[in-house]
Amino acid sequence: WPLPSRERFFELCTEKGLSRPIIEWLAMNVRRDGEVFSFRLDFQSLRALLADYFAVDLWHVLEDPDPLRQTYMVIGDKSDTVSPADLSRLDDLVRTRRSLHKCVLAGAGHWVHADDPEGVAAIVTEALSG
């Protein structure tokens, strides 16, 4: 969908309730095409990637972890992509597996790296220093 300006992209995303960091991240894919701006993402490929993602069940990675590898699940407390049932399942696993860690970032949504980059950096720093 062509847009008259980059600013119009920001306006539309703001109207949809996206946060400024997420809008800026998405805007990296807005490119000038002559007199208009357009999104340069291949939506058909994105749909295929999402379908593949939702078709794969990787709970076994958490249920039977390599004890020599520390695994950190970083979740934004405002994310709607992890169901309450999955959070409960994860909590049960964390209680019984010393190499599995659940880290919740207050105020972050699904895109924790955009909503709370400092929080993600703190988790990574702690994990690497531990």
Side-chain angles (χ1 to χ4, degrees):
W1 36 268
L3 298 168
S5 67
R6 194 173 187 79
E7 290 74 26
R8 182 63 183 138
F9 175 79
F10 276 80
E11 290 169 5
L12 289 170
C13 290
T14 300
E15 289 170 11
K16 294 291 184 183
L18 297 175
S19 68
R20 184 72 181 192
I22 291 174
I23 295 170
E24 289 172 354
W25 182 71
L26 288 171
M28 291 188 299
N29 292 292
V30 175
R31 297 285 188 255
R32 179 183 290 276
D33 186 14
E35 296 298 315
V36 298
F37 290 80
S38 60
F39 226 28
R40 69 177 176 112
L41 297 176
D42 178 350
F43 290 106
Q44 185 175 3
S45 294
L46 287 175
R47 281 187 204 90
L49 287 169
L50 280 171
D52 180 66
Y53 168 80
F54 285 111
V56 176
D57 182 351
L58 293 173
W59 275 102
H60 69 276
V61 174
L62 301 178
E63 293 169 340
D64 189 24
D66 177 345
L68 300 177
R69 179 185 307 131
Q70 299 294 309
T71 302
Y72 290 77
M73 298 298 295
V74 181
I75 302 167
D77 74 345
K78 296 197 181 311
S79 174
D80 60 0
T81 59
V82 183
S83 72
D86 285 343
L87 287 173
S88 178
R89 186 176 178 185
L90 179 59
D91 287 337
D92 290 343
L93 291 172
V94 168
R95 280 192 286 278
T96 61
R97 287 152 180 85
R98 298 178 61 93
S99 63
L100 179 58
H101 311 274
K102 175 183 163 190
C103 306
V104 178
L105 294 176
H110 173 67
W111 292 351
V112 292
H113 65 287
D115 290 335
D116 189 357
E118 294 85 10
V120 172
I123 291 167
V124 170
T125 300
E126 182 180 331
L128 292 175
S129 65

